[in-house]
Amino acid sequence: MPFKSLGYLMGSFSLFHWLVVLIPLTVPLFFIFRKPAAGPNRFGGLPQAMGFGQAISSYFKKYVDFTGRASRSEFWFSALFVALVSIALYLVDRTATLNGIWSLATFLPSIAMAARRFHDINRSGWHQLLGLLFPIGTIAVLVWYCRAPSVDDSRASVF
C-alpha cells in the first residue's frame, strides 16, 4: 500500500514542478564546470600576500574598487575582521542598530573584495551571484574563495 501512494505522489508531479526543481540544480552546474579563460590572467598582476593589518588597510583603501586581484590572505583576513567587528557590535548593542550600520558600511567593500578574489583565479566577479541564487552555487563559491591561483592564473596578461 505505501508504494501505491508513493506512485500517486510522483504521478501528480507536473512538468512545471520538475522544472522548478531541476532548473535551480542544473543551471549553476554550467557555470561551475566551465573552465576559466585559458592563458594569462586578464585581471592584472599577481597580488601580494598580506598580514592582518595590511589586509584591513587594503579593504578600506579599495572601498569600491572592483578591478585587480586579491590574494587569499587579503580576502580571508578582511572577512575575519568584518565578522569580528560584527560580533563585537552585537555584544555592545543588542538592538542591532550599530550592527545594521556596520553591515551597510561594509556591503559594497565586501562585494568588491569578493570580485577581486574571483579575479585572482581568473573568473569574473559576477560568479558571486551563483552563491546567492542557487543552493549548490554556495558550495562552489566557497571552494573558489579557498582556491589558490594556478600557474596560468598567476601570470599577468602582457597585452
Side-chain angles (χ1 to χ4, degrees):
M1 198 61 152
F3 293 112
K4 187 174 183 181
S5 61
L6 182 62
Y8 172 72
L9 177 65
M10 293 305 290
S12 67
F13 237 51
S14 70
L15 178 64
F16 175 74
H17 292 108
W18 281 109
L19 290 175
V20 167
V21 171
L22 292 178
I23 287 177
L25 293 175
T26 58
V27 167
L29 294 177
F30 170 75
F31 295 102
I32 292 170
F33 290 117
R34 192 172 78 179
K35 299 276 186 209
N41 192 307
R42 62 189 190 268
F43 296 108
L46 187 65
Q48 65 179 11
M50 296 186 177
F52 190 73
Q54 289 176 311
I56 295 166
S57 174
S58 173
Y59 179 79
F60 287 110
K61 282 181 185 174
K62 299 178 180 179
Y63 196 78
V64 289
D65 183 10
F66 291 85
T67 61
R69 297 164 65 177
S71 64
R72 287 185 296 173
S73 59
E74 181 180 0
F75 175 81
W76 287 112
F77 280 142
S78 299
L80 176 65
F81 173 74
V82 169
L84 289 175
V85 170
S86 183
I87 291 169
L89 289 176
Y90 176 74
L91 294 174
V92 169
D93 179 25
R94 298 284 178 151
T95 62
T97 304
L98 292 175
N99 209 347
I101 293 169
W102 175 251
S103 296
L104 284 174
T106 58
F107 179 70
L108 285 176
S110 295
I111 293 173
M113 174 66 69
R116 291 193 310 271
R117 179 71 202 117
F118 276 116
H119 291 172
D120 193 37
I121 60 169
N122 212 10
R123 292 191 181 268
S124 170
W126 288 101
H127 281 90
Q128 295 177 70
L129 292 176
L130 287 174
L132 294 174
L133 301 176
F134 304 105
I136 196 167
T138 305
I139 297 167
V141 167
L142 285 173
V143 167
W144 287 335
Y145 284 155
C146 296
R147 184 176 162 256
S150 69
V151 175
D152 288 338
D153 295 339
S154 298
R155 293 180 294 151
S157 177
V158 292
F159 300 110

